[in-house]
Amino acid sequence: PQTKNDIPGLEALDHADMAVFYLRFRALPENQLGHILKYAESGKPLAGLRTSTNAFLYPKGHPRESLNQDFPRDVFGQIWTRHHGHRSSTDVTVAEDQKDHPILRGVEAKFHVRSWLYHVNPLPPVSTPLLIGRAVNRRYLLFTGGERLVRRARSAGAPAGH
């Protein structure tokens, strides 16, 4: 989005039965953030897609700075740590023990996507992985202490992430 500090219509969450979040690096005003936090605390169904593991990016010293890490960890069970690089792609397979899950009805057992994969290991014990991704042509992008490091990944070894 062009604007990272405004999402019109969040009051709809006050009456929603389910929410799907696709957030990235937001710094919302309190009147908008309140709707998201209230919904997240409600216990109603919530799905977070992809970049929702780095939903907020409040500046250092901001009263809501802790949400940068606390929200994705507490709501989705994981924070963003790294991905496999913008030139990688992903081979996806349906998790064998979830092949009959109703959400996966009509999903091919194996497919390839031109999108890079986020690291989310280890998964929280309450998670149910439905799809498993393996990065193709991957490079790790690491962010430590404000510095960006790029490391070429090993061509063989442990799974790249889920």
Side-chain angles (χ1 to χ4, degrees):
Q2 297 296 325
T3 305
K4 303 230 181 229
N5 62 355
D6 183 41
I7 304 176
L10 286 174
E11 59 277 355
L13 290 172
D14 297 344
H15 307 288
D17 294 323
M18 180 178 177
V20 178
F21 289 166
Y22 193 7
L23 302 168
R24 182 173 187 256
F25 295 148
R26 297 301 185 124
L28 298 174
E30 285 297 317
N31 64 327
Q32 292 185 1
L33 178 63
H35 294 291
I36 291 175
L37 297 179
K38 181 180 172 187
Y39 187 88
E41 294 168 3
S42 74
K44 294 179 183 178
L46 189 150
L49 302 179
R50 194 172 162 79
T51 57
S52 294
T53 57
N54 49 326
F56 299 110
L57 187 59
Y58 287 97
K60 188 169 181 72
H62 189 282
R64 292 296 194 169
E65 178 187 7
S66 64
L67 285 178
N68 299 348
Q69 301 250 336
D70 293 350
F71 181 83
R73 184 194 61 237
D74 295 346
V75 174
F76 301 117
Q78 189 65 241
I79 62 170
W80 186 90
T81 56
R82 64 185 182 199
H83 63 71
H84 292 279
H86 296 151
R87 294 188 179 160
S88 66
S89 60
T90 306
D91 286 333
V92 182
T93 57
V94 170
E96 181 60 34
D97 62 337
Q98 296 299 318
K99 65 184 179 193
D100 296 323
H101 196 289
I103 290 176
L104 296 173
R105 195 171 300 136
V107 174
E108 295 291 324
K110 294 181 181 184
F111 56 96
H112 184 83
V113 293
R114 177 56 195 104
S115 181
W116 54 87
L117 191 62
Y118 281 22
H119 281 255
V120 291
N121 272 335
L123 291 171
V126 296
S127 299
T128 304
L130 301 178
L131 302 171
I132 307 299
R134 296 208 186 277
V136 176
N137 192 30
R138 65 190 193 261
R139 292 171 64 118
Y140 294 138
L141 295 182
L142 307 174
F143 293 87
T144 58
E147 296 179 21
R148 180 175 155 169
L149 304 173
V150 179
R151 296 184 183 163
R152 183 159 301 282
R154 293 177 293 166
S155 59
H162 304 281

